[in-house]
């Protein structure tokens, strides 16, 4: 986590707690000539509405104007993490057990760096997924250190068009 995002997280915690929301992620990125501070929030049950995002945005804006922790000009965006919510914290993975996820690894696991499948288990060592290779389902272990990115995903494999 960068210095900016950790400072923003500390400013956000009281707002998130008061509104009984969950902080999913914070990004501070440069895209082209512009900087963006993106805050992703959700409810513990999952699903947030625009009014809740507006409340977080307005309250955070006031604090950011007072504290001024970011030197550059930037755009503040507060939104839902969406259906393909990132999995970063241990509790994110625990809540995702049994769900369909996408994992990108730093190095190949069973000759693959991108895996889609169901999260079977998550431990201190890593995670176990059930993936489909053609018509076979196999369980695969991925060490925590090898996970570059993980997020919920949508399973279209059993859907008919």
């Amino acid at each position: 986590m960068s210095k900016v995002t950790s400072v923003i997280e500390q400013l956000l915690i009281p707002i998130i707690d008061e509104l009984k929301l969950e902080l999913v992620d914070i990004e501070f990125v440069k895209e082209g000539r512009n900087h963006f501070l993106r805050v992703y929030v959700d409810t513990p049950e999952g699903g947030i509405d625009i009014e809740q995002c507006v409340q977080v945005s307005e309250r955070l804006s006031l604090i950011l104007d007072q504290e001024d922790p970011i030197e550059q000009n930037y755009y503040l965006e507060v939104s839902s993490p969406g259906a393909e919510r990132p999995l970063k914290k241990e509790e994110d993975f625990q809540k995702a057990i049994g769900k369909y996820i996408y994992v990108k690894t730093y190095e190949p696991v069973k000759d693959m760096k991108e895996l889609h499948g169901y999260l079977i288990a998550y431990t201190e060592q890593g995670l176990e997924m059930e993936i489909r290779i053609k018509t076979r389902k196999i369980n695969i272990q991925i060490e925590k250190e090898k996970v570059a990115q993980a997020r919920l995903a949508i399973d279209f494999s059993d859907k008919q068009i």
Side-chain angles (χ1 to χ4, degrees):
M1 185 176 277
S2 75
K3 182 181 177 193
V4 169
T5 56
S6 69
V7 167
I8 300 305
E9 182 176 3
Q10 293 308 308
L11 297 173
L12 259 171
I13 289 172
I15 297 168
I16 298 298
D17 288 347
E18 183 183 333
L19 296 173
K20 295 178 177 45
L21 298 174
E22 177 186 353
L23 177 60
V24 175
D25 199 10
I26 301 171
E27 297 175 343
F28 184 64
V29 295
K30 184 175 182 185
E31 295 177 0
R33 288 187 272 170
N34 299 314
H35 286 84
F36 293 87
L37 175 60
R38 294 191 175 111
V39 176
Y40 300 96
V41 292
D42 206 352
T43 61
E45 305 80 40
I48 189 164
D49 64 35
I50 189 90
E51 280 302 313
Q52 291 167 304
C53 291
V54 168
Q55 287 179 320
V56 173
S57 180
E58 288 174 349
R59 292 180 187 194
L60 181 58
S61 286
L62 288 172
I63 292 171
L64 291 172
D65 288 345
Q66 291 170 357
E67 300 289 327
D68 200 21
I70 302 173
E71 294 178 20
Q72 305 90 334
N73 290 332
Y74 59 92
Y75 294 96
L76 172 62
E77 297 176 356
V78 176
S79 67
S80 160
E84 295 190 334
R85 171 189 177 134
L87 303 174
K88 295 193 171 200
K89 300 175 266 187
E90 181 175 343
E91 63 192 58
D92 297 336
F93 284 95
Q94 293 298 337
K95 286 181 186 176
I97 291 174
K99 295 184 180 172
Y100 194 75
I101 66 170
Y102 162 83
V103 174
K104 184 174 185 176
T105 59
Y106 290 113
E107 56 187 64
V109 176
K110 301 273 189 195
D111 298 325
M112 297 174 282
K113 288 184 76 174
E114 294 188 33
L115 302 111
H116 289 86
Y118 288 91
L119 181 60
I120 304 299
Y122 183 79
T123 65
E124 286 184 24
Q125 292 74 36
L127 53 99
E128 180 180 353
M129 290 176 67
E130 178 186 87
I131 64 169
R132 181 177 287 176
I133 300 178
K134 296 185 182 182
T135 58
R136 284 184 315 133
K137 290 181 182 179
I138 64 165
N139 285 12
I140 191 167
Q141 306 283 329
I142 305 170
E143 296 170 28
K144 259 189 190 177
E145 301 80 41
K146 292 184 181 181
V147 176
Q149 177 187 13
R151 62 175 166 74
L152 293 178
I154 298 171
D155 183 4
F156 293 104
S157 64
D158 292 330
K159 309 273 189 276
Q160 300 219 356
I161 297 175

